[in-house]
């Protein structure tokens, strides 16, 4: 696999100038070859010279491109042979015999060019056999007709050079009909070969080959019909020239159809970037894959993105790209401008003949893929940060619980033990020392009470022992505003209970302190894998989160567990704080 780079279409600049020069040369040759006829038929001259020149230009352009290069070379040779065909108009010397054989070469070149399209190979024994038989019939049949005829029977002057061997009018007529019939059969076989190729071509190739097959059918049928019109009647030179003229017009349909197909392919390359951009907005790996499938007309195309040292498919699962493509598949790699792996596509091998279009689509898709990769990397980092925050919350909840238990078990026990020692000391000493001991006991009692309150603030024991329901009922009972509760009896994971407890305490404190409410409603319920808690008051409303405020801290605490907080507080209509947390499955 290699890096794909967008290349400019190959028909501009020198290739176009060479094709135009070749067309002008062929047209000039046709003008010289048919000058005696053109002098009296200027309209026919204009049509024929345009056909010959256009045939050569189309062949030159096809030969300069990547789609149908050998077809273009065959058409260029055919155009030159067609120009030579008009030497019959001189009706002298070897011109007529050269003309009839040039006509045969012309039709052979057309047939071979059609079979070579688009990959430049004669695929299959049938195509190769057709080529050999056609060359033998067109050239050998023409030699047979010349041997059995005289020049006048073909519309030429009796004095021209003609390879008559055994002229026989009846034999010539039979041979003419026989050769024409075989030519018609060969033309039909050519059309059948093209039709049989269609099911085996890819959707993209079919888009270009169907118009060509239609053009071949029309052009060959027309040329043969005109040729058959000469059977069974006396022929003049004007008749021959008219047949040549009409056959040239029909034949010119072929290179124009091939040229139109190649132009469509080039336009597809030029528009690939715009189509890819339109089809991938907004950007995602799935959209890029689907856009490539539509632009390249391959529903089987697979796309893999480079991520963390290996390829993954659109579902982010690993892909065994290193195993190589399966038979009939073609694999292409896309790299960044820095040369680093970006993506790889696995597609139908028949797209190999449309490599410029594939490259244009992949370069456009590569830009989108770079965006996707950056987005994926950002999502990965964000996910890791969220995981880290979630783990931190769990650790904090566990640490609060441990610290509260440690305070109650260790520090408070020591303070009470010291208080008991002071009580014994108080009973054993005199009045003045007893008074000092009482003062120490009072200080120790206050310190123990404060430490007990601190332990409950760090993590209330009732939350650990009895759960959220009991803990919130205790908090609601101490609130300065009546609180109506709707709480489930179930337990939640420790980090969920801890986060909900402190968030609800903060929301209750804000409502009691700032809302001026007469009543507060607190509810907790389960909804499809989530726990939803609401604190609703009937106060003044207009509340909102401010940096460093209670609601802001509440929101940060909830977000650490991938939850979210919604605050609805229209002025004069109370405030509702809704806390949503995902619950583990």
């Amino acid at each position: 696999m290699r890096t794909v780079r967008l290349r400019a279409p190959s028909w501009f600049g020198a290739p176009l100038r060479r094709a135009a020069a070749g067309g002008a040369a062929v047209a000039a040759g046709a003008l010289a070859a048919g000058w005696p006829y053109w002098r009296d038929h200027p309209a026919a001259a204009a049509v024929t010279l345009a056909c010959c020149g256009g045939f050569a230009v189309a062949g030159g352009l096809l030969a300069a491109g990547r789609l149908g290069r050998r077809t273009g070379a065959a058409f260029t040779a055919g155009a030159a042979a067609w120009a030579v065909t008009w030497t019959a108009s001189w009706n002298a010397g070897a011109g007529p015999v050269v003309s009839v054989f040039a006509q045969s070469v012309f039709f052979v070149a057309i047939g071979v060019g059609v079979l070579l399209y688009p990959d430049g190979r004669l695929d299959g024994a049938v195509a190769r056999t057709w080529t050999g038989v056609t060359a033998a019939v067109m050239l050998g049949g023409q030699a047979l007709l010349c041997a059995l005829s005289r020049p006048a029977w073909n519309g030429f002057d009796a004095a021209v050079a003609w390879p008559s061997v055994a002229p026989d009018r009846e034999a010539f007529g039979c041979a003419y009909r026989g050769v024409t019939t075989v030519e018609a059969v060969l033309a039909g076989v050519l059309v059948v070969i093209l039709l049989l190729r269609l099911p085996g071509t890819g959707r993209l190739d079919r888009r270009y080959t169907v118009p060509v097959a239609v053009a071949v059918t029309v052009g060959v049928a027309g040329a043969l019909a005109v040729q058959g019109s000469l059977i069974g009647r006396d022929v003049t030179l004007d008749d021959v020239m008219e047949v040549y003229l009409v056959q040239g017009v029909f034949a010119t349909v072929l290179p124009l159809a091939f040229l139109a197909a190649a132009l469509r392919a080039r336009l597809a390359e030029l528009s690939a970037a715009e189509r890819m951009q339109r089809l991938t907005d907004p950007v995602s790996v799935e959209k890029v894959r689907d856009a490539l499938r539509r632009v390249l007309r391959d529903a089987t195309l697979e796309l893999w993105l480079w991520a963390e040292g290996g390829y993954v498919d659109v579902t982010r699962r690993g892909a065994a790209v290193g195993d190589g493509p399966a038979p009939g598949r073609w694999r292409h790699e896309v790299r960044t401008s820095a040369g680093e792996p970006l993506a790889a596509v696995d597609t139908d091998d028949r797209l190999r003949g449309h490599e410029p279009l594939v490259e244009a689509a992949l370069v456009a898709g590569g830009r989108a893929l770079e965006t996707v990769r950056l987005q994926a990397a950002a999502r990965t980092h964000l996910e890791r940060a969220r995981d880290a925050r979630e783990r931190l919350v769990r650790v904090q909840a566990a640490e609060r619980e441990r610290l509260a238990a440690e305070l109650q078990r260790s520090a408070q026990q020591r303070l009470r033990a010291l208080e008991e020692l002071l009580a014994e000391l108080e009973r054993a000493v005199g009045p003045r020392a007893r008074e000092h001991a009482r003062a120490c006991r009072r200080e120790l009692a206050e310190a123990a009470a404060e430490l007990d309150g601190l332990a409950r603030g760090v993590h209330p024991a009732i939350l650990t022992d009895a759960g959220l329901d009991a803990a919130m009922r205790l908090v609601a009972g101490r609130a300065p505003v009546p609180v109506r509760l709707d709480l489930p009896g179930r337990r939640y994971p420790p980090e969920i209970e801890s986060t909900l407890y402190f968030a609800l305490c903060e929301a209750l404190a804000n409502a009691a302190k700032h809302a001026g409410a007469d009543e507060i409603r607190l509810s907790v319920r389960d909804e499809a894998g989530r726990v939803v808690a609401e604190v609703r008051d009937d106060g003044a409303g207009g509340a909102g989160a401010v940096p460093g405020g209670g609601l802001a801290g509440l929101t940060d605490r909830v977000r650490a567990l991938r939850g979210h907080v919604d605050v609805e507080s229209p002025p004069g209509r109370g405030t509702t704080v809704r806390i949503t947390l995902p619950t583990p499955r």
Side-chain angles (χ1 to χ4, degrees):
M1 295 189 287
R2 60 184 180 81
T3 307
V4 296
R5 300 186 186 281
L6 184 61
R7 289 183 285 195
S10 56
W11 284 0
F12 300 98
L16 180 59
R17 290 193 296 271
R18 284 196 296 268
V26 169
L31 178 64
W35 179 250
Y37 184 72
W38 305 139
R39 286 180 302 185
D40 300 325
H41 301 83
V47 172
T48 301
L49 295 181
C51 288
C52 281
F55 209 121
V57 170
L61 290 176
L62 284 170
R66 300 187 61 174
L67 187 65
R69 180 172 296 174
R70 291 189 176 180
T71 295
F75 283 174
T76 302
W82 191 246
V84 175
T85 300
W86 290 98
T87 56
S89 66
W90 293 89
N91 203 16
V97 72
V98 171
S99 169
V100 295
F101 279 97
Q103 181 194 35
S104 297
V105 171
F106 170 67
F107 284 115
V108 172
I110 287 179
V112 173
V114 168
L115 289 177
L116 287 172
Y117 185 82
D119 55 11
R121 298 192 304 269
L122 290 175
D123 292 325
V126 174
R128 290 190 290 272
T129 301
W130 185 93
T131 301
V133 172
T134 299
V137 169
M138 296 299 296
L139 297 174
Q142 188 60 58
L144 176 64
L145 294 177
C146 289
L148 295 176
S149 68
R150 297 189 185 280
W153 301 350
N154 294 277
F156 302 120
D157 190 273
V160 303
W162 197 259
S164 298
V165 177
D168 184 304
R169 188 62 183 256
E170 185 175 351
F172 170 69
C174 291
Y176 194 95
R177 284 189 291 272
V179 170
T180 303
T181 300
V182 174
E183 289 174 351
V185 171
L186 289 173
V189 172
L190 176 62
V191 173
V192 171
I193 291 173
L194 295 178
L195 292 177
L196 291 177
R197 279 183 176 181
L198 291 179
T201 60
R203 292 182 60 194
L204 194 60
D205 283 323
R206 205 171 302 146
R207 182 185 182 191
Y208 304 129
T209 54
V210 169
V212 168
V214 173
V216 169
T217 304
V218 173
V220 171
L224 287 174
V226 174
Q227 186 75 24
S229 67
L230 298 179
I231 298 176
R233 66 187 181 92
D234 294 331
V235 180
T236 65
L237 181 62
D238 284 343
D239 293 333
V240 174
M241 296 295 102
E242 288 176 3
V243 168
Y244 285 175
L245 175 63
V246 177
Q247 284 182 334
V249 172
F250 274 109
T252 305
V253 172
L254 299 180
L256 293 179
F258 279 89
L259 185 60
L263 280 172
R264 289 182 68 190
R266 293 300 178 266
L267 290 175
E269 294 172 25
L270 293 174
S271 63
E274 184 274 331
R275 292 180 64 196
M276 287 295 299
Q277 182 178 4
R278 174 165 36 87
L279 293 172
T280 56
D281 186 24
V283 177
S284 69
V285 179
E286 292 85 352
K287 279 186 172 290
V288 175
R289 180 200 61 191
D290 295 343
L292 287 171
R293 287 179 174 179
R294 292 183 62 179
V295 171
L296 300 179
R297 294 177 176 264
D298 180 12
T300 66
L301 182 145
E302 291 298 335
L303 174 66
W304 299 298
L305 187 66
W306 183 267
E308 298 180 357
Y311 283 105
V312 296
D313 60 18
V314 294
T315 63
R316 309 297 294 180
R317 286 195 291 264
V321 177
D323 295 342
R329 305 294 295 173
W330 181 41
R331 192 162 292 171
H332 222 46
E333 187 178 57
V334 187
R335 291 181 176 269
T336 65
S337 55
E340 299 174 353
L342 176 61
V345 291
D346 184 88
T347 186
D348 194 316
D349 187 62
R350 288 171 293 197
L351 281 173
R352 196 186 296 270
H354 302 276
E355 190 172 345
L357 175 61
V358 176
E359 292 182 356
L362 290 182
V363 168
R367 300 189 185 100
L369 287 172
E370 286 196 80
T371 302
V372 170
R373 187 166 71 168
L374 291 174
Q375 290 177 345
R379 283 197 299 268
T380 300
H381 293 317
L382 180 59
E383 193 69 18
R384 288 174 178 172
R386 285 175 173 172
D387 288 341
R389 280 206 308 180
E390 191 171 346
R391 288 194 299 271
L392 180 60
V393 169
R394 291 194 183 100
V395 170
Q396 287 177 339
E399 187 62 20
R400 282 195 191 97
E401 186 174 352
R402 187 196 65 78
L403 181 59
E406 185 67 24
L407 286 172
Q408 291 176 335
R409 183 178 65 253
S410 178
Q412 287 182 327
Q413 287 178 357
R414 292 181 180 180
L415 286 176
R416 289 194 171 91
L418 182 57
E419 184 180 358
E420 291 175 0
L421 288 175
L422 286 173
E424 292 178 4
L425 180 63
E426 181 181 343
R427 289 191 294 270
V429 298
R432 187 170 181 180
R434 190 178 298 118
E435 185 63 28
H436 288 298
R438 287 196 188 100
C440 288
R441 286 181 62 196
R442 284 195 298 271
E443 292 292 332
L444 284 173
E446 291 177 4
E450 289 177 2
L451 189 59
D452 188 57
L454 176 62
R456 287 196 301 271
V458 172
H459 192 90
I462 191 173
L463 182 63
T464 302
D465 297 335
L468 184 66
D469 186 351
M472 292 311 303
R473 291 187 185 281
L474 182 61
V475 172
R478 297 171 180 171
V481 178
V483 179
R484 295 177 60 182
L485 299 175
D486 182 9
L487 299 170
R490 62 164 291 191
R491 297 296 302 268
Y492 296 98
E495 68 274 9
I496 298 291
E497 288 189 338
S498 176
T499 298
L500 281 177
Y501 174 80
F502 289 108
L504 291 173
C505 286
E506 183 66 39
L508 282 175
N510 284 336
K513 183 177 180 181
H514 304 293
D518 294 327
E519 184 182 65
I520 301 173
R521 296 185 179 184
L522 187 153
S523 66
V524 178
R525 64 184 181 274
D526 293 316
E527 287 186 0
R530 301 176 302 170
V531 56
V532 180
E534 284 187 353
V535 176
R536 186 189 304 267
D537 66 60
D538 58 359
V546 296
L551 287 178
L554 181 157
T555 301
D556 291 341
R557 183 186 293 270
V558 171
R559 283 180 177 172
L561 288 182
R562 306 184 185 226
H564 59 88
V565 177
D566 299 309
V567 178
E568 298 176 6
S569 187
R573 298 173 59 186
T575 299
T576 299
V577 178
R578 185 176 297 106
I579 302 162
T580 304
L581 284 171
T583 54
R585 295 180 181 178

